[in-house]
Amino acid sequence: LQEAVAAYRAALGEYTRERVPLNWAMTQNNLGTALQTLGERESDTARLQEAVAAYRAALEERSRERVPLDWAATQNNLGNALQTLGERESDTARLQEAVAAYRAALEERSRERVPLDWAATQNNLGNALQTLGERESDTARLQEAVAAYRAALGEYTRERVPLNWAATQNNLGNALQTLGERESGTARLEEAVAAYRAALGEYTRERVPLNWATTQNNLGLVLWRLGERESGTARLEEAVAAYRAALGEYTRERVPLNWATTQNNLGNALWRLGERESGTARLEDAVAAYRAALEERSRERVPLNWAATQNNLGNALQTLGERESGTARLQEAVAAYRAALEERSRERVPLNWATTQNNLGNALWRLGERESGTARLEEAVAAYRAALEERSRERVPLNWAMTQNNLGTALQTLGERESGTARLEEAVAAYRAALGEYTRERVPLNWATTQNNLGNALWRLGERESGTARLEEAVAAYRAALEERSRERVPLNWAMTQNNLGTALQTLGERESGTARLEEAVAAYRAALTEWTREQVPLDWARAQYELGNALSTLGKRESGTERLEEAVVAYRAALTEWTREQVPLDWARAQYKLGNTLSTLGKRESGTERLEEAVVAYRAALTEWTREQVPLDWAATQHNLGTALQTLGKRESGTARLEEAMAAHRAALTEYSRERDPLTWAELQLQIGESLVYIGKRLPSTERLEEAAAAYRMALDTFKEIKAGMFIKPTEHRIYVVEAMLAARRR
C-alpha cells in the first residue's frame, strides 16, 4: 500500500491539475483510497486525514456538473474516510460530515440510475448514522440508520448479491439492537435477532468464516440483552451457544482481540446465567472466560477494554463470593474493581468510573457484612458517595437511585453495629432519595425493593427508640412494598417482605398491652412460610420459623394457657432442623436460647419438671457456641436464664444440687453483668442468688446459707437504692425481713 501511495503521488507529478484535470482528480481519488486503507490499519489518524484531503482535492475537478457519477463515487469515498476518522474521535463533527457526504452522493447515485451503488451508499449512510446514534441520547439517528439499511436491502437482495445482503442484515441487526437497548420492550431486540439469523443464511462458516463469527458474536449480544429482560434462561443459553460458535473461528491465534472480546461477552452471559442458578458452575465458567479475555485484552494494548473486563470479572467474583462462606472471592472482586479504576478514571470515562465505584461498594459491603469491624463498610460508603459525584440525578436518574439505595444498605449495616442512630437516619434519607426516581409508575419492582429496605432501616431505628412512630412507618413501608412485590410476580421477595413485616409488627406488639399486633405478626410469618419452603430456601424457612416462634412465645406469655407456647416450641424445633450447629452455629445457639426461654415459661406453668429439664438442656446447648469469649453478653444472658430454670427445678425437688447449679450459673452471669456495667441486672442476679440460698438454707440445719442470702439481698437493696429502682426496694426489704426472722428463729 505504501508503494501504491508513492506511485499515485509520482503520477500526480505528470497528471497535473492544469494539464489533465480529470486524470488528476481520478488519481487523487485513488490516492485517497490507498491512504484510507493504510489508515484503517494504523492506530493514529494521519493517513486518514491525508485521505480526506485527497478526496476533497479530487472533488475540486470531479464536480457534480462535469462528472456526476464520479463526483458521487468520491463523495461516498470521502464519507468512508470521515466515518473511520469519526469512530476514533470523541466528538461527532467528522461523523456528521460523513453523513453529509453520503447524502450528497445519493443525489446522483439514485436507485433508478445505479441501484447497487445506491444500495452501497445507503448501507454506508446507515453505518455513520448508527455510530452517531450510539453517542446521542435520543433515538432519531438510530431510526434513520434502520431506514437506510432497509432501503439498501431493497436492491441488495439475497438473490442478486447474497454477501452484501448478509452484511447489510448484520448492520441492520446492530442498529436494531442499540435501539432495543434504549426501549423498555423487546420488539426491536427480536427484530435484531431475526436480522442476524437472516445474515447467517449467507454468511456461512464455510464461505466467510470470520464474517460468520462476527455475526454469531452479534447474535450472542442481542440474545444476552433479551435474556436479561426475561425471567427464564433460554435466551441466555442461546447467547452462550452463539458466543461459543463464534470462538470456533475467532481463535486466539488468528484474531486475538476479537477472540478476547468474545470471551468477555461469553463471560457476561455465563455470569447472568449463574446469577439465576443455585450452583456455582456457570459463575466459575464466567470467571474463566474473563481471565482468558485478559490474556489478550492487556492494559498496555487496549486499556479501556482491559478495565471493562476487570470490572466484569469483579461482578462474577462478587456473585461467587456471596454464595461462599469465606471472603476470598469477595477480596478478589475488590482487587478486580480497583484494577479497573486505574484505567477507568473519572477524567477519561466518568460514568464508567462511577459504575465501577458502585460495584466496588457492593463488594466492600458484602465483605463488611462478614467481618466484625466497620472498616470495609466505611470504604463501601465512600465508594458509593464517589459514584454519586458522576451518577447525578440529572444525568442518569435511575442509576443515581440505584446507588442511593446501595448507599442506604451500607449505612444501615454500619448503623446496626453502632450504638447511636446517626447512620440509620442517613440510611433512611438515602432510601427516601432513591424513591424520588425509583417511582412505582416507572420501576415498580425497584420501588418495592427500596420500600422494603426503608422498612428495615426504620425498624432498626424503632428498636432503639422508646416510641412507636418509626415502627409504624416501617410497617407502612413494608405494606407499600407488598403492593408490587406480589406473591404471583416475585414469590420469594414477597415472602421476605412478609417476614420483615412480621418482625416490625412483633416489635410493636411487644410494646403494646394488647395482642392484635402480635397476631398480625404471626399471620405475616405464616404467609412468608407459604413461599419460603424448607425445600426451596431452607435457611430462610428456618429464619421465618424462628421469628414465628418469637411472636408465638410473646403471645403465650400474655395468655393464661399453654397453647401458644406449645406452638412456639414446635416452631423453634422446626428452625433447628436447618439452623444446625455445623452450618450456622450462632443462629443455632440463638434458637436454642429462645427455645429454652419458652420451655422455661411452660415449665413454670406446669406441675412437673419435664419442660424445665428440656429448658436446661437447651440453654446448655446454646452455651456450647455462645461462649464468653465470642459473645460475652449473650453468654451471660444464657447463664442467667439457665440459673432461673435450675432454680425453679430446685424448688420442686427435695435436694439442693439443682439450687447449687442455679447459683453457679447466676454467679457466672455476674462476671459479665458487673455492677459498673449493668447495676440493675447485677442487683436482680443478687436477688436470684439470695433466693437459691434461702431454699438451700431451709433444707440444711446450719444458718450459713441463710446468712449468705441476707448478705446477697442487702447488696441488691443497696444497689436498688443507689439507682433509684423504687419498685424493687420494698420487696427486697421484705425478703431481708423474712430471712432475718428465719435466722432469729434458728438461733432460739
Side-chain angles (χ1 to χ4, degrees):
L1 285 171
Q2 290 181 359
E3 290 177 40
V5 168
Y8 289 133
R9 284 184 167 144
L12 288 168
E14 294 298 326
Y15 272 175
T16 64
R17 185 174 180 182
E18 295 72 28
R19 184 188 293 173
V20 278
L22 289 181
N23 287 344
W24 173 83
M26 176 185 68
T27 307
Q28 287 285 7
N29 180 76
N30 294 346
L31 172 61
T33 303
L35 287 165
Q36 182 185 334
T37 307
L38 265 175
E40 288 169 354
R41 298 181 185 180
E42 296 175 356
S43 59
D44 66 14
T45 61
R47 297 290 198 174
L48 292 170
Q49 290 179 17
E50 290 178 66
V52 167
Y55 290 134
R56 284 185 167 143
L59 288 168
E60 293 172 14
E61 292 296 335
R62 269 191 167 181
S63 65
R64 185 175 179 182
E65 295 71 29
R66 184 187 288 176
V67 279
L69 289 180
D70 288 342
W71 172 83
T74 304
Q75 287 284 7
N76 180 75
N77 294 344
L78 173 61
N80 291 343
L82 288 165
Q83 182 187 334
T84 307
L85 263 174
E87 288 172 352
R88 298 186 185 179
E89 296 175 356
S90 58
D91 65 16
T92 61
R94 297 290 198 173
L95 293 169
Q96 291 182 17
E97 291 178 65
V99 168
Y102 291 133
R103 284 185 167 143
L106 288 168
E107 293 172 16
E108 293 297 334
R109 269 190 167 181
S110 66
R111 186 173 183 180
E112 296 70 31
R113 185 188 289 177
V114 280
L116 291 181
D117 289 341
W118 172 83
T121 303
Q122 287 285 5
N123 181 71
N124 295 343
L125 173 61
N127 292 341
L129 288 165
Q130 183 189 333
T131 307
L132 264 175
E134 288 171 352
R135 298 187 186 180
E136 297 175 355
S137 58
D138 64 13
T139 61
R141 298 289 199 174
L142 293 169
Q143 291 179 9
E144 291 179 65
V146 168
Y149 291 133
R150 284 185 167 143
L153 289 168
E155 294 297 333
Y156 267 1
T157 64
R158 186 174 183 180
E159 296 70 31
R160 185 190 289 176
V161 281
L163 291 181
N164 289 344
W165 173 83
T168 307
Q169 287 285 6
N170 179 74
N171 295 344
L172 173 62
N174 293 343
L176 288 165
Q177 181 182 340
T178 307
L179 263 176
E181 288 171 357
R182 299 187 185 178
E183 297 175 357
S184 57
T186 61
R188 297 290 199 173
L189 296 174
E190 296 284 2
E191 289 180 67
V193 169
Y196 290 133
R197 286 188 166 140
L200 289 167
E202 293 296 334
Y203 265 2
T204 63
R205 186 174 183 179
E206 296 69 31
R207 185 190 288 177
V208 280
L210 291 181
N211 290 342
W212 173 83
T214 297
T215 307
Q216 287 285 4
N217 181 70
N218 293 344
L219 174 61
L221 286 172
V222 72
L223 288 166
W224 168 63
R225 285 292 183 199
L226 274 170
E228 285 190 313
R229 297 187 183 180
E230 297 173 358
S231 58
T233 60
R235 295 293 199 171
L236 293 171
E237 296 281 6
E238 290 180 70
V240 167
Y243 291 134
R244 286 185 167 143
L247 290 167
E249 294 295 334
Y250 268 0
T251 62
R252 186 175 179 181
E253 296 69 32
R254 185 190 289 177
V255 280
L257 288 180
N258 289 346
W259 172 83
T261 297
T262 307
Q263 287 284 5
N264 178 77
N265 296 345
L266 173 61
N268 291 342
L270 289 165
W271 170 55
R272 283 295 183 204
L273 269 173
E275 279 191 309
R276 297 184 185 178
E277 297 175 357
S278 58
T280 60
R282 298 289 200 171
L283 295 170
E284 297 282 4
D285 287 341
V287 168
Y290 291 133
R291 285 185 166 143
L294 289 167
E295 293 172 16
E296 293 295 335
R297 269 191 163 183
S298 64
R299 186 175 179 182
E300 295 70 31
R301 186 188 288 178
V302 280
L304 288 180
N305 289 342
W306 172 82
T309 303
Q310 288 284 5
N311 179 77
N312 296 344
L313 173 61
N315 292 343
L317 289 165
Q318 183 185 333
T319 308
L320 264 174
E322 289 169 356
R323 297 189 184 175
E324 297 175 355
S325 57
T327 61
R329 296 291 198 172
L330 292 171
Q331 290 180 11
E332 289 179 70
V334 168
Y337 291 133
R338 285 185 166 143
L341 288 167
E342 293 171 17
E343 292 295 335
R344 272 190 164 181
S345 65
R346 185 175 179 182
E347 296 70 31
R348 185 189 289 179
V349 281
L351 289 180
N352 289 342
W353 171 82
T355 295
T356 304
Q357 287 284 6
N358 180 76
N359 295 345
L360 173 62
N362 292 343
L364 288 165
W365 169 64
R366 285 292 184 196
L367 267 174
E369 275 194 310
R370 297 186 184 179
E371 297 176 355
S372 58
T374 60
R376 297 290 197 174
L377 295 170
E378 297 281 5
E379 290 179 69
V381 168
Y384 291 134
R385 286 188 166 139
L388 288 167
E389 292 171 17
E390 292 296 334
R391 272 190 166 182
S392 65
R393 187 173 183 177
E394 295 69 32
R395 185 189 288 179
V396 281
L398 292 181
N399 287 342
W400 173 83
M402 176 201 296
T403 305
Q404 287 285 4
N405 180 71
N406 295 345
L407 173 62
T409 304
L411 287 165
Q412 182 185 328
T413 308
L414 264 175
E416 288 169 356
R417 297 189 183 176
E418 297 175 356
S419 57
T421 60
R423 296 292 198 171
L424 293 172
E425 296 281 5
E426 289 179 71
V428 168
Y431 291 134
R432 285 188 166 141
L435 289 167
E437 293 296 333
Y438 268 180
T439 63
R440 187 175 179 182
E441 296 70 32
R442 185 190 289 177
V443 280
L445 289 180
N446 290 343
W447 172 83
T449 296
T450 307
Q451 288 284 4
N452 178 78
N453 295 347
L454 173 62
N456 292 343
L458 289 165
W459 169 64
R460 285 293 185 197
L461 271 172
E463 275 194 309
R464 298 187 183 179
E465 297 174 355
S466 57
T468 61
R470 296 292 199 170
L471 295 171
E472 296 282 3
E473 289 180 69
V475 168
Y478 291 134
R479 285 187 165 140
L482 289 168
E483 292 172 18
E484 292 295 335
R485 268 192 167 180
S486 64
R487 186 176 180 182
E488 296 69 33
R489 185 189 288 179
V490 280
L492 293 181
N493 287 342
W494 172 83
M496 176 198 295
T497 303
Q498 286 285 4
N499 187 76
N500 294 346
L501 172 62
T503 305
L505 288 164
Q506 183 185 331
T507 309
L508 266 173
E510 289 168 353
R511 297 189 184 177
E512 297 175 356
S513 57
T515 61
R517 296 291 199 170
L518 293 169
E519 296 282 3
E520 289 180 72
V522 167
Y525 292 134
R526 286 188 165 139
L529 287 165
T530 60
E531 291 295 336
W532 270 6
T533 62
R534 185 176 180 183
E535 296 70 31
Q536 196 167 352
V537 281
L539 291 181
D540 289 332
W541 172 83
R543 178 153 62 99
Q545 288 284 5
Y546 169 81
E547 299 289 0
L548 174 62
N550 290 343
L552 289 165
S553 183
T554 305
L555 266 174
K557 288 171 184 173
R558 296 189 183 177
E559 297 174 356
S560 58
T562 61
E563 182 182 354
R564 296 292 198 171
L565 294 170
E566 296 282 3
E567 290 180 67
V569 168
V570 170
Y572 289 133
R573 285 186 166 144
L576 287 164
T577 60
E578 291 296 336
W579 273 8
T580 62
R581 185 177 179 184
E582 296 69 32
Q583 196 166 347
V584 281
L586 293 181
D587 288 336
W588 173 82
R590 187 164 75 250
Q592 289 284 6
Y593 172 75
K594 289 297 184 81
L595 174 62
N597 289 347
T598 307
L599 288 165
S600 185
T601 305
L602 268 172
K604 288 173 183 174
R605 295 188 185 178
E606 297 174 356
S607 58
T609 61
E610 183 182 355
R611 294 296 196 174
L612 292 167
E613 297 280 6
E614 291 177 61
V616 168
V617 170
Y619 289 134
R620 285 183 167 147
L623 289 167
T624 60
E625 291 295 335
W626 272 8
T627 62
R628 185 177 178 186
E629 295 70 31
Q630 196 166 351
V631 280
L633 291 181
D634 290 332
W635 172 83
T638 308
Q639 289 284 7
H640 186 174
N641 293 355
L642 170 62
T644 303
L646 287 164
Q647 185 185 80
T648 307
L649 269 173
K651 289 175 183 178
R652 296 185 186 178
E653 297 174 355
S654 57
T656 61
R658 294 291 197 175
L659 294 167
E660 294 284 359
E661 290 178 68
M663 280 197 302
H666 286 141
R667 283 176 172 149
L670 284 170
T671 60
E672 291 297 331
Y673 285 139
S674 65
R675 187 173 182 181
E676 294 71 31
R677 179 189 284 177
D678 189 346
L680 180 61
T681 304
W682 181 86
E684 288 177 328
L685 281 164
Q686 292 291 354
L687 282 183
Q688 294 272 13
I689 291 167
E691 190 170 349
S692 293
L693 287 164
V694 166
Y695 273 89
I696 294 170
K698 287 178 182 178
R699 297 175 188 179
L700 297 175
S702 70
T703 60
E704 182 182 352
R705 294 296 198 174
L706 292 173
E707 287 168 354
E708 288 178 53
Y713 286 149
R714 286 191 188 101
M715 286 191 290
L717 179 62
D718 290 344
T719 303
F720 288 142
K721 287 179 177 178
E722 186 180 317
I723 63 175
K724 297 181 173 58
M727 63 180 292
F728 292 97
I729 294 172
K730 284 192 179 301
T732 307
E733 286 175 340
H734 179 70
R735 289 186 185 205
I736 294 170
Y737 171 79
V738 170
V739 174
E740 286 178 344
M742 291 172 66
L743 280 167
R746 291 271 182 101
R747 291 184 186 120
R748 286 197 298 270

